[in-house]
Amino acid sequence: MIAQHKLASADVRLATIARLNDRCRQGHDRTARIMVTRTCLGTFASGDSPMTIVVQARLLAAVRRHEFSADNAAERDRGDFEFEGTRVYFRIDYYDAALEYGSEDPANASITRRVLTIMVREDL
C-alpha cells in the first residue's frame, strides 16, 4: 500500500513539473527566462538586430509548437526539432528564486525559476 502511494505521489509530482514546464514554454510563466545561445543566433542570423529579433521569435514559436514523443513526455523539459535545415535543441533548467542555485523542488512554482535555453549542437 505504501509503495502504491509513493508511486502515485511521484506521478503527481512529475505531472506538476510537466505542467509548469508547459507554462514556461508557452510564455505563461512570468518568472521564467528565455535564452537563445549566441551560437544558435549566429547560425540563423547575420548579426543585424532586426534579423536577430525575427530569428528569436521564430525559434520560440517553434519551441511552443513542439510536440513531445511518448518516450520524452515525462517532464517535458527538453526537446529538439528541425529549423531551417539545422537541428535545434531546447531544455528547461530549474533554479532558485535568485537564479543562483538549483531549485530544491521544481514542482513548487513559488521557489523555482525556470530558464528555457534554445541552442544548436555546438552548444551541447
Side-chain angles (χ1 to χ4, degrees):
M1 189 73 148
I2 293 175
Q4 278 184 327
H5 177 68
K6 285 185 179 180
L7 186 58
S9 179
D11 288 345
V12 168
R13 177 179 165 70
L14 198 56
T16 299
I17 292 171
R19 182 182 52 78
L20 292 169
N21 286 344
D22 287 344
R23 287 182 48 77
C24 173
R25 281 188 318 104
Q26 297 303 323
H28 300 298
D29 181 350
R30 291 179 174 217
T31 66
R33 302 290 182 261
I34 299 169
M35 309 293 293
V36 180
T37 66
R38 212 176 267 180
T39 306
C40 186
L41 282 177
T43 300
F44 303 109
S46 60
D48 61 349
S49 289
M51 184 51 123
T52 300
I53 293 168
V54 170
V55 166
Q56 288 179 47
R58 291 181 56 223
L59 285 166
L60 188 54
V63 167
R64 289 180 175 166
R65 286 190 307 268
H66 181 74
E67 292 188 26
F68 293 91
S69 62
D71 61 333
N72 193 15
E75 286 187 35
R76 297 194 291 271
D77 64 337
R78 65 187 70 221
D80 61 274
F81 54 90
E82 195 77 21
F83 185 82
E84 295 183 3
T86 300
R87 179 73 36 200
V88 173
Y89 303 85
F90 69 89
R91 68 177 283 148
I92 298 172
D93 293 301
Y94 315 119
Y95 292 93
D96 66 356
L99 295 169
E100 291 181 28
Y101 303 103
S103 173
E104 292 180 18
D105 183 7
N108 184 343
S110 68
I111 64 167
T112 302
R113 299 298 171 261
R114 284 170 163 69
V115 176
L116 168 65
T117 305
I118 303 171
M119 61 198 122
V120 292
R121 180 170 297 283
E122 292 82 3
D123 295 314
L124 298 177

